[in-house]
Amino acid sequence: MLDLGFVRGNLEVVEAKLRARGADPAALLGDFRALDQSRRQAITQSEQLKARRNELSQQVGALKKAGQDATAVMEETRALKEKLDELDKAAAEFDEKMRLALSRVPNLTRDEVPTGKSEADNPTIKTWGEKKSYDFAPKPHWELGAELGILDLDRATKLSGARFAVYMGQGAKLERALINFMLDLHTDKQGYTEVLPPFMVNSKSLYGTGQLPKFADDLFRCSDADAACAAKGEFKDNDHWLIPTAEVPVTNLYRDEILDEARLPICLTAYTPCFRAEAGAAGKDTRGIIRQHQFQKVEMVKFVKPEDSEAEHEKLTRNAEEILELLELPYRRVLLCTGDTGFSAAKTFDLEVWLPGQGLYREISSCSNFDAFQSRRANIRYRAAGPKSKPEFVHTLNGSGLAVGRTWVAIVENYQQADGSVIVPTALRPYLGGLERIEKQK
RNA sequence: GGAGAGGUGGCCGAGUGGUUUAAGGCAACGGUCUUGAAAACCGUCGUGCUCGUGAGGGUACCGUGAGUUCGAAUCUCACCCUCUCCGCCA
């Protein structure tokens, strides 16, 4: 959510930023100026009447206490009521319209974010690692996984339908090893605290991080979740949706709280499954396990002071890159252009890992700075030490560290051998009981 | 799921229709005192919206939403959450 006062005072800037994203300011903001004016007018009038009402009510009290007749004053107050109800209703309607309009406006990208339309316009910031050369034609992971007996997509379809996977034997163990390896690195070496949050959240939480109201179709909701309410901008605390990322429960941990400055930065990491409906992704990445309805991810989330968020963003991105470096997987870092930056983000780096089986770089981590966009929605503030300090919104950040399923893919494809076996990266061996090579399962 | 109790500011906690512009305490912050610190004492101390160039004013907020009333933290209804006990259960 953008700050109302900022939008009012910088409408041209906001509109330019929205256009840079490829969004239509008119469609998003409508007649913002007129609406804002009507709203404020209704509020001012209503409050003036309320002041009058309160004054008269006090007179009634005073008169009654003095044993005098208060009928006339009571009548006058009663007469105010009709007009007041009308004004209040109008004010509430304008307010609701503004709130709903603003809730669908994406964040403003930072000035250093390059203007562009799509991922084709994302500049590459750095490239790391040497692509291995193979004296055979490297296979995609779905072939390797099936041949090794560590990935069973056919039976997953029987259980759950398309876009689900069953990992078997050392395949399952590899997934689990990756989770532990990532969490240990984040907690033991990089200063994060581990969190194990619920995998279902209410609609208020999804509003807080920006998935609702706009992206309800991308989510799986439980039968007690009222999508119609969410679409109307009513967010409940007793409905349930499957989380699309750990970002949602972890960021919302401090919703409606005021944190002490001394506690910042707060750095958390969480392993969770993630559930995505993949609405509109029909026909995309249908082979293999790149795009699933359920996948596992280790996430990093930070709450920081506004002046620190730029530096913390770089640190967080480096924390994700370190995993790829330890696993010796070639990758590159790209900066998302305005047209490709997500709804809630002000600036995003994507890490893309090299997949030789498919001959392309593939997103494996997305590290974003949200500025105060999420904290304003979720009302997460901090209070600085010192006299007369008012609570201020924190900046939130998060990034995958990493998407586990895609890391699994990257290892299988990058470390494949001519005989179809897969060498286990050295850093991961302690997590697999010293196993050096994954070979065909019985 | 059943029965009972409860939900008040950063925290604890008073408050059952009219100076409540929410008592009191703790914490925090500023000051006095002190070589420094602690203690003691004095003072400051909620959030949003809105009006105002400003000082400042108005208004709303006591779990959420409706309602009764001239007036609601206080009364009524619905819902949510927490705690205790019972039931069911991994």
Side-chain angles (χ1 to χ4, degrees), chain A residues 58-109:
Chain A
Q58 283 198 336
Q59 282 181 27
V60 173
L63 285 170
K64 287 200 168 176
K65 212 169 207 169
Q68 294 179 310
D69 179 49
T71 321
V73 184
M74 280 165 66
E75 276 307 316
E76 191 182 345
T77 316
R78 214 191 311 257
L80 287 178
K81 227 182 175 179
E82 205 172 314
K83 182 72 180 160
L84 190 55
D85 281 349
E86 206 176 290
L87 281 168
D88 265 347
K89 207 178 148 204
E93 261 169 39
F94 287 129
D95 201 65
E96 184 61 18
K97 267 188 199 166
M98 296 262 299
R99 205 177 59 79
L100 202 54
L102 271 186
S103 75
R104 289 168 180 273
V105 176
N107 200 0
L108 306 180
T109 48

Side-chain angles (χ1 to χ4, degrees), chain A residues 128-173:
Chain A
W128 185 94
E130 292 263 325
K131 294 177 193 168
K132 287 195 183 74
S133 57
Y134 302 86
D135 48 14
F136 56 94
K139 295 177 177 174
H141 66 277
W142 54 86
E143 285 179 21
L144 288 161
E147 286 162 12
L148 286 166
I150 58 175
L151 182 67
D152 190 338
L153 295 176
D154 295 337
R155 290 198 175 90
T157 305
K158 175 165 68 183
L159 300 179
S160 312
R163 297 199 190 280
F164 286 93
V166 175
Y167 298 88
M168 296 291 283
Q170 288 174 345
K173 211 160 185 173

Side-chain angles (χ1 to χ4, degrees), chain A residues 18-19 21-32 97-98 100-106 214 343:
Chain A
L18 291 180
R19 269 193 296 274
R21 272 184 179 270
D24 177 9
L28 283 170
L29 290 168
D31 43 356
F32 179 87
K97 267 188 199 166
M98 296 262 299
L100 202 54
L102 271 186
S103 75
R104 289 168 180 273
V105 176
K214 221 176 162 181
F343 176 79

